[in-house]
Amino acid sequence: MRLSSSLHPIVRLGALTFEGVTVVERESRLDAPLTEAERRVRLEPPREREAVRAMYRNVGLDPTKRRPSSEALLRRVLKGDRLPRVNALVDICNWCSLELQLPYGVYDLGRVDGDVELRLGQTGEEYAGIRKDVVHVDGRLALADRLGPFGNPSADSARTMVTAATSAALVAIYAPRRSDESLLVAALDLTARRILEYAGGRETLRVVL
């Protein structure tokens, strides 16, 4: 994992990798904790992190037009909707993202090719999105491997999406550099604990950049 030097003043990246995970489409053990998380958020809404919005602005993006995934989840729940249920790994990361108000990405590590770097997207770079035709990443934060970009804090790619066939996973947490590192460390701890509890496997890498 690498963080582009140009982004070092703006972004703090956390990453976890796991092997041997079991991904089910609907993990019933998550029903109660997700319902409780939604209830707590509606009773005491977490403040939308201005630092995350500032992170977007610092790379030239309007966070009200391309919302961080964490803010989009919060707005969904505050409207009375449920958290989307996709599969165990995605559901766990959405749960953490909702509570911590940090954008997350979760990827099938078996579909990632070579070293991974968080950088700015280059002119013309794009990828096929999940439930979207094309995600353009020119000038945007982009997680990329040897084949090109596959994720960002707003929308991820179909190429590396997690499915029931996933057995190895990469989790990325995009935190503002201005936030204290302890926030990201706590996020990694919480995320790893929940993944190991509900999806099994073993943690193989933990990075804070």
Side-chain angles (χ1 to χ4, degrees):
M1 291 291 297
R2 299 192 305 273
L3 176 65
S4 169
S5 59
S6 65
L7 292 178
H8 192 270
I10 301 171
V11 185
R12 199 185 296 277
L13 178 66
L16 296 161
T17 63
F18 299 87
E19 291 182 355
V21 294
T22 300
V23 181
V24 297
E25 291 188 3
R26 181 84 181 204
E27 173 51 78
S28 60
R29 292 180 299 154
L30 285 170
D31 293 349
L34 292 182
T35 298
E36 175 61 16
E38 293 162 353
R39 185 190 70 83
R40 287 198 309 266
V41 162
R42 293 187 186 112
L43 285 175
E44 296 184 36
R47 295 178 61 185
E48 293 176 357
R49 289 191 177 275
E50 179 56 36
V52 174
R53 288 187 165 197
M55 178 176 74
Y56 269 47
R57 293 190 190 99
N58 286 338
V59 294
L61 294 175
D62 182 346
T64 65
K65 294 181 179 178
R66 300 181 187 273
R67 294 194 185 280
S69 57
S70 49
E71 185 175 328
L73 287 170
L74 177 60
R75 285 172 170 261
R76 177 190 179 108
V77 171
L78 292 181
K79 283 195 310 181
D81 294 336
R82 305 295 304 271
L83 281 169
R85 299 297 294 271
V86 181
N87 59 53
L89 277 182
V90 174
D91 296 349
I92 291 165
C93 289
N94 282 342
W95 176 16
C96 295
S97 181
L98 174 71
E99 292 184 333
L100 300 174
Q101 279 304 286
L102 291 173
Y104 273 60
V106 57
Y107 312 98
D108 186 325
L109 195 56
R111 299 179 178 216
V112 174
D113 192 324
D115 292 338
V116 175
E117 180 181 24
L118 181 62
R119 57 171 173 79
L120 287 179
Q122 300 169 7
T123 302
E125 285 192 314
E126 61 187 29
Y127 52 76
I130 302 172
R131 297 183 302 277
K132 294 183 178 181
D133 291 335
V134 176
V135 177
H136 300 280
V137 294
D138 183 352
R140 299 174 62 181
L141 296 173
L143 207 60
D145 62 5
R146 189 179 65 83
L147 300 179
F150 62 86
N152 71 47
S154 294
D156 291 321
S157 75
R159 170 167 70 91
T160 55
M161 67 184 290
V162 170
T163 69
T166 299
S167 61
L170 163 66
V171 175
I173 307 176
Y174 306 92
R177 179 64 59 173
R178 63 188 267 192
S179 297
D180 194 277
E181 184 177 331
S182 62
L183 172 68
L184 185 53
V185 171
L188 292 169
D189 287 342
L190 177 66
T191 306
R193 186 165 65 250
R194 287 175 173 175
I195 287 176
L196 294 174
E197 178 177 357
Y198 293 102
R202 64 186 184 90
E203 182 183 333
T204 53
L205 178 71
R206 181 178 299 213
V207 176
V208 175
L209 299 173

